[in-house]
Amino acid sequence: MVFCCNESEYFFSHTAQNLIDLYISMMPKPIEFHYKKYRILPDNKTVKFDYQIIFSNQEPLEFTETIRLPRASMKLCSKDMKPFLEALLIILGISYYKLYLPKKVILPFELSKEQAEFWNTVYRKGLGELLYRNKIDSKQLAKFQSSKVVVGPVSIETKDRGLLGIGGGKDSIVAAELLKEDGYDFSSFVVETQRKDLVVEKVMKEIGKQKMIVRRVLDPKIFEEHEGSFDGHIPISAIFAFIGLLTSAVYGYKYVMVGNEHSSNFGNIKHKGEIINHQWSKTAEFENLLQEYTCKFITADISYISVLRQFYEIRIAKMFATQKKYFKSFSSCNRSFRVHKERTGSLWCGECAKCAFTFLILSPFMPKKDLVEIFGKNLLNDKRLELMYRDILGFGKLKPFDCVGTFEESRVAFWMSAKKYKKDFIAKKFVQKIKDAKKSSKEVLSTVQAPTLPTKFRFLGIENICILGYGKEGKVTEAYLKKFHPKLDIGILDQAHDKNYLKGQGEFDLAVKTPGISKDKVTIPYVTATNLFFSKISNLTIGVTGSKGKSTTASLIYQMLKADNQKVRLLGNIGNPMLKVLNGKINPKEIFVIELSSYMLDDIEHSPNIAVLLNLFPEHMDYHGGVDAYYASKNRIFKYQKFGDVSI
């Protein structure tokens, strides 16, 4: 057969297109992802989670992941573990779902509308980086379907102690040392994936607390080559969070604790209306979502919190610089924590964004010699890292897809250490670009609002504090702070001392606000004596509020209990500051009857065990700004009640 030139070109191009079409037709076509079931093994410490991907043109892919708890417990088989295990089935499944992102997901149980919305958000935002890198619209993700099912939380018996996640880096180390200094009871918690983690083992040994090691074994098929599959980042911190919740429930811990910082809240890039954040499952947004989900649908007795949420990375670096015993054992380099690939022989590769950022953020607070010794070289004098630092400082295209801090704090760290490193290549390259960094220094070295952090942990890492309002309650607050936080520098801000007292707030990390000062006038993070009291007390509490009659009612309840030979004390707005109780010895059987004003309830984070709400009509409009806000403050007396509490 003879072809002319044009015929030959047509034949070969047509054949090539046929081959391409044939190849595409043979590509796996996923249609459904099944969260099959979870299975508790007879050893009472091992749970297996089964998954399946259904294709239209090939056999299904099946996966099984294994979670092995530290020791056997009959609690694992309790019906109360069902909501923990169901949630874990969904979050562990994200590792396998992301391979092909099927358009439909099938669960073996039903979700309420609010539950489905939570999981749709976790998958969409947690897989955001993977979607961005693979040019996939988030609208293509499967949606968890909901029904009219009503799902309520279970009651779990816990002790006031925490499981602190240890990752081997500076953040979890700082969190551990702050908790130790505070005297709070916690255990070091780690999820070992596929193999032992020698870095974390060394750090936990230095911390010196009880170890709680959960072993996670991924299905080996996930590491195989799968034609047409996607590879990319998953929300690993979310996975660890739900494993932590189950572990806490089985062994009786009140808090799952991590060392996530304020800096993680800032994303990498905006894409199709969505902020893509490599660290999304470390953000305050995720923390808040998980706290609400856990309280409503799993249990109100366990909470997931970050004890470092008040700080930027640079403030944490400043605190870490005093922990010299960890200098030779800590590591944040991702290559030291690879799950499947070979890990580097050293703690720091000196090439990745995490190494470059960690060196930079520690540079203002550590001697140059010590920092170079830790990393094995001076990273600010490495020409090969020029583009990396350009991105970290915000002069490139986007922030690296890694757990690094904000542009502002990176520039501040660079500015603070400029003299120390002025002869080095990177310093010379960017020193002229960070002249304005000083303006940001106060902001990134200060504390920030952290509504997800319980009051009892708000003093961790705080250097100074002001008492905002120095009346009867303020004086009792001062005595409390001097007794329980003797290292704090305490300032007094009161109208009687200075009519412009509110302007002095910016010099302090934290304020203790008196009820009479509106929260709208507070410009720095703050706590209240009311919340401090409730956060420390485990006694039976009876709270009384209302527009009129609350003093009379509270006094009547007090007298009735006293007549019944109960040990009881009358506290609160009636003229007896609550913190006075904490300054002395507390009888665990003593009952506290508390009169609560709308001022006290306006920003309350706790509810009394028995809450009494009397008549309501408009009052204190100048303080609350309207009747709706006033009534809402009164109704907060019920907001945080748990199963077994009473509302009247």
Side-chain angles (χ1 to χ4, degrees), residues 74-222:
M74 291 301 293
K75 285 186 178 179
L76 184 61
C77 303
S78 164
K79 64 179 182 180
D80 290 337
M81 294 301 110
K82 184 172 180 283
F84 295 91
L85 291 165
E86 288 181 346
L88 203 47
L89 179 69
I90 298 176
I91 194 61
L92 292 177
I94 201 168
S95 297
Y96 309 96
Y97 169 78
K98 64 100 174 176
L99 289 174
Y100 285 101
L101 305 176
K103 298 294 175 60
K104 188 175 183 180
V105 291
I106 309 292
L107 288 170
F109 47 82
E110 293 183 319
L111 299 175
S112 68
K113 182 180 179 181
E114 198 171 348
Q115 283 180 298
E117 288 175 353
F118 169 82
W119 287 112
N120 287 330
T121 299
V122 170
Y123 268 56
R124 187 182 79 254
K125 295 197 173 187
L127 292 174
E129 181 182 338
L130 179 146
L131 299 174
Y132 171 76
R133 288 180 180 272
N134 290 281
K135 297 180 173 59
I136 300 170
D137 194 316
S138 63
K139 294 178 182 177
Q140 297 180 38
L141 288 179
K143 295 288 189 299
F144 289 93
Q145 300 302 306
S146 64
S147 67
K148 294 182 179 179
V149 63
V150 177
V151 182
V154 297
S155 180
I156 300 293
E157 186 178 344
T158 63
K159 295 180 181 179
D160 190 4
R161 57 182 181 175
L163 271 184
L164 176 64
I166 304 298
K170 67 183 186 318
D171 298 348
S172 57
I173 289 170
V174 168
E177 290 300 320
L178 290 177
L179 289 168
K180 285 164 64 177
E181 184 180 337
D182 189 59
Y184 189 75
D185 185 19
F186 73 94
S187 297
S188 294
F189 170 63
V190 64
V191 178
E192 286 187 347
T193 305
Q194 304 305 101
R195 61 178 112 179
K196 280 187 173 293
D197 198 314
L198 298 180
V199 174
V200 175
E201 285 279 355
K202 288 180 181 179
V203 168
M204 286 196 296
K205 185 177 180 180
E206 289 287 356
I207 290 171
K209 303 292 284 188
Q210 178 186 357
K211 302 174 186 176
M212 294 290 284
I213 301 175
V214 174
R215 291 186 167 83
R216 177 188 179 216
V217 182
L218 293 157
D219 191 303
K221 290 194 292 293
I222 201 170

Side-chain angles (χ1 to χ4, degrees), residues 309-320:
R309 186 61 71 191
Q310 301 180 103
F311 308 111
Y312 281 86
E313 280 263 23
I314 192 170
R315 178 75 175 258
I316 297 168
K318 180 183 177 183
M319 289 185 267
F320 177 77

Side-chain angles (χ1 to χ4, degrees), residues 133-407:
R133 288 180 180 272
N134 290 281
K135 297 180 173 59
I136 300 170
D137 194 316
S138 63
K139 294 178 182 177
Q140 297 180 38
L141 288 179
K143 295 288 189 299
F144 289 93
Q145 300 302 306
S146 64
S147 67
K148 294 182 179 179
V149 63
V150 177
V151 182
V154 297
S155 180
I156 300 293
E157 186 178 344
T158 63
K159 295 180 181 179
D160 190 4
R161 57 182 181 175
L163 271 184
L164 176 64
I166 304 298
K170 67 183 186 318
D171 298 348
S172 57
I173 289 170
V174 168
E177 290 300 320
L178 290 177
L179 289 168
K180 285 164 64 177
E181 184 180 337
D182 189 59
Y184 189 75
D185 185 19
F186 73 94
S187 297
S188 294
F189 170 63
V190 64
V191 178
E192 286 187 347
T193 305
Q194 304 305 101
R195 61 178 112 179
K196 280 187 173 293
D197 198 314
L198 298 180
V199 174
V200 175
E201 285 279 355
K202 288 180 181 179
V203 168
M204 286 196 296
K205 185 177 180 180
E206 289 287 356
I207 290 171
K209 303 292 284 188
Q210 178 186 357
K211 302 174 186 176
M212 294 290 284
I213 301 175
V214 174
R215 291 186 167 83
R216 177 188 179 216
V217 182
L218 293 157
D219 191 303
K221 290 194 292 293
I222 201 170
F223 302 113
E224 297 174 1
E225 292 288 335
H226 296 285
E227 187 73 26
S229 65
F230 300 109
D231 187 23
H233 183 69
I234 60 169
I236 190 66
S237 295
I239 291 174
F240 292 164
F242 280 98
I243 294 175
L245 288 173
L246 174 66
T247 308
S248 293
V250 171
Y251 303 115
Y253 287 80
K254 187 174 182 178
Y255 295 104
V256 181
M257 311 173 105
V258 290
N260 298 334
E261 70 293 325
H262 178 69
S263 307
S264 64
N265 296 328
F266 300 87
N268 300 80
I269 193 172
K270 189 172 184 179
H271 179 66
K272 294 188 176 180
E274 188 89 77
I275 298 295
I276 308 300
N277 188 347
H278 173 84
Q279 304 183 77
W280 183 77
S281 59
K282 292 174 67 177
T283 63
E285 180 188 8
F286 171 74
E287 188 174 330
N288 182 61
L289 287 171
L290 182 55
Q291 286 181 359
E292 291 184 353
Y293 185 89
T294 303
C295 187
K296 290 180 180 179
F297 306 113
I298 301 180
T299 183
D301 299 312
I302 302 171
S303 188
Y304 173 83
I305 64 170
S306 171
V307 298
L308 300 180
R309 186 61 71 191
Q310 301 180 103
F311 308 111
Y312 281 86
E313 280 263 23
I314 192 170
R315 178 75 175 258
I316 297 168
K318 180 183 177 183
M319 289 185 267
F320 177 77
T322 65
Q323 303 295 333
K324 293 185 178 181
K325 68 177 181 178
Y326 294 100
F327 286 0
K328 293 183 178 180
S329 58
F330 88 107
S331 178
S332 302
C333 175
N334 289 333
R335 298 186 190 182
S336 295
F337 300 96
R338 288 171 170 168
V339 170
H340 186 59
K341 297 179 181 179
E342 285 301 315
R343 301 180 182 181
T344 58
S346 61
L347 293 174
W348 304 92
C349 72
E351 300 173 357
C352 68
K354 198 64 186 288
C355 284
F357 173 75
T358 305
F359 189 99
L360 174 62
I361 211 71
L362 287 171
S363 63
F365 311 111
M366 293 176 60
K368 186 175 183 179
K369 181 182 177 182
D370 291 352
L371 201 53
V372 171
E373 185 177 345
I374 289 170
F375 285 84
K377 63 178 180 178
N378 180 358
L379 271 61
L380 290 177
N381 198 34
D382 190 337
K383 295 181 180 181
R384 295 172 298 175
L385 297 178
E386 179 184 346
L387 294 179
M388 185 77 71
Y389 275 115
R390 185 179 298 278
D391 290 340
I392 289 171
L393 292 166
F395 303 124
K397 292 183 178 180
L398 76 165
K399 189 171 73 171
F401 280 113
D402 215 322
C403 294
V404 299
T406 64
F407 297 146

